[in-house]
Amino acid sequence: WLFLRRSRLGVTMRAVVDDPTLLDMTGTQPARVRTAAWVIGASFAALSGILIAPVLGLDAGLLTLLVVQAFGAVAIGRFSSLPLTFLGGITVGVVASLATKYLANQPLFNGLPSAIPFLVLLAVLLVTPKKRLPREVGRLGGGASERRAWLPAPLRQGTYAIGFALLLAVPALVGTRLPVYINGVTFVVIFLSLSLLVRSSGQISLCHAAFAALGATTFSHLSVGQGLSWPLALLGAGLVTVPLGAVLAIPAIRLSGLYLALATFGFGILMQSVVFNASFMFGNEPFLRAPRPTLGPFNGASDTTFYYLALAVALLCCLVVLAVDRSRLGRLLRALGDSPTALTTGGLSVNVTRIMVFCLSAFLAGVGGALFMAQFGQVSKDYGFGPFQSLIWLAVLAISGRTLILPAFVGAALLTVAPSYVTGLSQEWQSVLFGVTALGVAILPAGGFGLRARLTRLAERTEHRRGRSPVRARTVSNPA
């Protein structure tokens, strides 16, 4: 506390949060101050690990989760007060211990104690006035300005035609790896739902795996428990997920950027720890089961038939996303990603727009989860539906590109198909490769050392020669 209040470096660390531009004008480089803050923070984290490892053990996943749990105490301190943060840490720890004592024998709530810090975090973020939260620096991309076409139209159309032909020829080309490609097509739908949320409106979700889990379990209950036909069960899985998307839109109304990411992460932890144990989801069953479809002469038990069925659903979802993107709602979403303030100034409701995009995204994620369920025929809550899985999906989407549709296919290929071709690498080395790739995408210039900029200029000149407006001029920024 004395360091932050009395030392020169401590004061500049507080200043870089309040106004880095003003700090730069005084002759102090914000980058150096942030570097010092990272060094100090990493040192304290290392010291904490040394002290806590003898108690909890050297479990990388558990120690990482503790770092995220600490945000609950930090939120009580309003991200600024060290005394309140200390008091918040004590309070969260005591409440979690009491919950462990009194709820450990309750099957439905036995996972609640571990979710206490995230519930505190979510509650504090929802009740804290936005002006009391530290100013955000940067955001996850969205809106029209970051989704310019950077290939000439004829080349884009030819690329799409070749890609579509390759998708149709997959069963004849991949042999025994066809189930892997079916899984990839399933994840195309999930990545489409996340892309609609991130690339169209600039929102963030770290609980998309919970949407997929609800879609998968609903599909099982409707197809097996209620005996509905396969198409109706698939549609029902998406529709049942919509209210969950509407609930998640509540924190999105008040929060954005880092704070929305933390809130949705806490929501995902709550789903995993408590709601997954409810009877309308996994309950106490080790596995939930669902059949593949039999639609007239088409028998989904065949991998080839089911691949084409899943591909048809994925392409239909692509058409839905494109239709939304080119509609008035799509223009509103891009305006929301570019400038929510400008959208509000124009007399339009930002809140309704956010709720609609979260509901649409949840619907597509639920359909993707139902396809995932139908492919394997069974699923359990241990199949990777936690918030960390949602974090991986978001990172893969960020690596895959900045457009709306293509990154969904690229991300699905990177997540599911590519690992099957690098079997010589262990799981640990695959994780290392993924991490290095993610860091490279974050650090390297967005234009790929000027290549993307040159291709964009080429596309603009081609469009101009064909008598059309340049690509930059055709991006829509006026929501009306």
Side-chain angles (χ1 to χ4, degrees):
W1 184 86
L2 289 174
F3 166 75
L4 290 174
R5 293 285 176 176
R6 297 287 182 253
S7 70
R8 177 177 176 81
L9 178 58
V11 173
T12 55
M13 286 171 58
R14 292 163 53 205
V16 79
V17 175
D18 292 335
D19 196 332
T21 303
L22 183 60
L23 179 65
D24 193 21
M25 293 174 62
T26 65
T28 302
Q29 296 183 10
R32 290 188 176 182
V33 178
R34 292 191 180 106
T35 301
W38 273 99
V39 170
I40 296 172
S43 300
F44 271 93
L47 178 61
S48 301
I50 293 172
L51 295 176
I52 206 169
V55 179
L56 297 181
L58 293 177
D59 187 325
L62 182 59
L63 292 176
T64 303
L65 193 61
L66 285 175
V67 176
V68 183
Q69 287 177 333
F71 276 104
V74 176
I76 293 178
R78 302 290 179 88
F79 297 90
S80 58
S81 172
L82 285 179
L84 286 179
T85 299
F86 180 82
L87 179 61
I90 298 297
T91 302
V92 169
V94 170
V95 172
S97 297
L98 292 175
T100 302
K101 178 180 180 180
Y102 293 106
L103 300 178
N105 297 325
Q106 302 292 329
L108 182 60
F109 299 104
N110 57 9
L112 185 61
S114 61
I116 291 294
F118 303 101
L119 292 177
V120 173
L121 171 63
L122 183 60
V124 172
L125 288 176
L126 289 178
V127 301
T128 301
K130 192 172 183 179
K131 63 182 180 180
R132 297 293 302 272
L133 298 175
R135 191 179 69 87
E136 297 179 60
V137 179
R139 62 180 177 85
L140 193 63
S145 60
E146 296 188 1
R147 287 173 41 203
R148 299 172 182 138
W150 52 282
L151 286 177
L155 185 56
R156 291 200 309 270
Q157 295 167 3
T159 303
Y160 295 154
I162 293 174
F164 181 69
L166 288 175
L167 287 175
L168 293 179
V170 160
L173 298 175
V174 301
T176 57
R177 285 194 172 96
L178 184 56
V180 175
Y181 282 83
I182 296 175
N183 196 27
V185 171
T186 298
F187 271 92
V188 166
V189 180
I190 294 177
F191 278 114
L192 276 174
S193 69
L194 193 57
S195 181
L196 177 66
L197 189 67
V198 173
R199 298 306 180 196
S200 289
S201 61
Q203 304 296 299
I204 300 176
S205 172
L206 292 182
C207 67
H208 245 59
F211 292 157
L214 182 58
T217 55
T218 301
F219 179 78
S220 174
H221 293 314
L222 292 179
S223 61
V224 177
Q226 302 298 324
L228 294 183
S229 64
W230 198 87
L232 288 178
L234 185 69
L235 180 62
L239 293 176
V240 169
T241 316
V242 169
L244 185 62
V247 171
L248 189 63
I250 296 176
I253 292 175
R254 299 189 65 256
L255 307 172
S256 62
L258 170 64
Y259 305 115
L260 180 57
L262 291 173
T264 55
F265 190 90
F267 191 84
I269 288 288
L270 177 63
M271 290 287 296
Q272 184 183 36
S273 302
V274 179
V275 182
F276 280 11
N277 297 323
S279 59
F280 63 86
M281 288 200 70
F282 296 100
N284 296 323
E285 299 292 333
F287 290 97
L288 292 179
R289 304 183 185 278
R292 286 192 178 185
T294 301
L295 304 174
F298 301 101
N299 186 2
S302 167
D303 283 344
T304 301
T305 302
F306 189 77
Y307 168 82
Y308 284 119
L309 179 61
L311 180 62
V313 174
L315 294 178
L316 180 61
C317 291
C318 288
L319 294 177
V320 171
V321 171
L322 285 175
V324 171
D325 185 61
R326 296 181 180 182
S327 66
R328 183 176 184 273
L329 176 60
R331 294 192 293 272
L332 292 176
L333 294 178
R334 291 193 293 276
L336 177 63
D338 286 335
S339 178
T341 303
L343 188 63
T344 305
T345 305
L348 300 172
S349 175
V350 177
N351 297 340
V352 174
T353 305
R354 286 195 175 110
I355 292 174
M356 292 182 68
V357 69
F358 266 97
C359 290
L360 286 170
S361 180
F363 174 82
L364 292 175
V367 172
L371 281 179
F372 181 85
M373 177 71 172
Q375 177 194 358
F376 294 101
Q378 63 180 22
V379 75
S380 74
K381 57 185 176 183
D382 299 323
Y383 270 44
F385 292 120
F388 281 110
Q389 192 66 33
S390 300
L391 180 59
I392 293 176
W393 293 354
L394 185 63
V396 171
L397 183 68
I399 292 173
S400 302
R402 298 188 176 186
T403 55
L404 186 61
I405 300 297
L406 184 59
F409 288 87
V410 175
L414 290 176
L415 184 68
T416 61
V417 178
S420 68
Y421 287 92
V422 289
T423 54
L425 291 177
S426 64
Q427 185 68 32
E428 290 77 11
W429 279 108
Q430 290 184 22
S431 300
V432 170
L433 180 61
F434 170 78
V436 170
T437 304
L439 287 174
V441 171
I443 295 174
L444 293 180
F449 297 108
L451 176 61
R452 179 172 178 174
R454 287 192 290 270
L455 289 174
T456 302
R457 288 194 295 270
L458 176 61
E460 291 178 354
R461 287 196 298 268
T462 303
E463 296 289 334
H464 182 71
R465 289 170 184 171
R466 297 179 65 187
R468 299 178 181 178
S469 300
V471 176
R472 294 179 187 270
R474 288 190 291 111
T475 57
V476 178
S477 57
N478 183 5

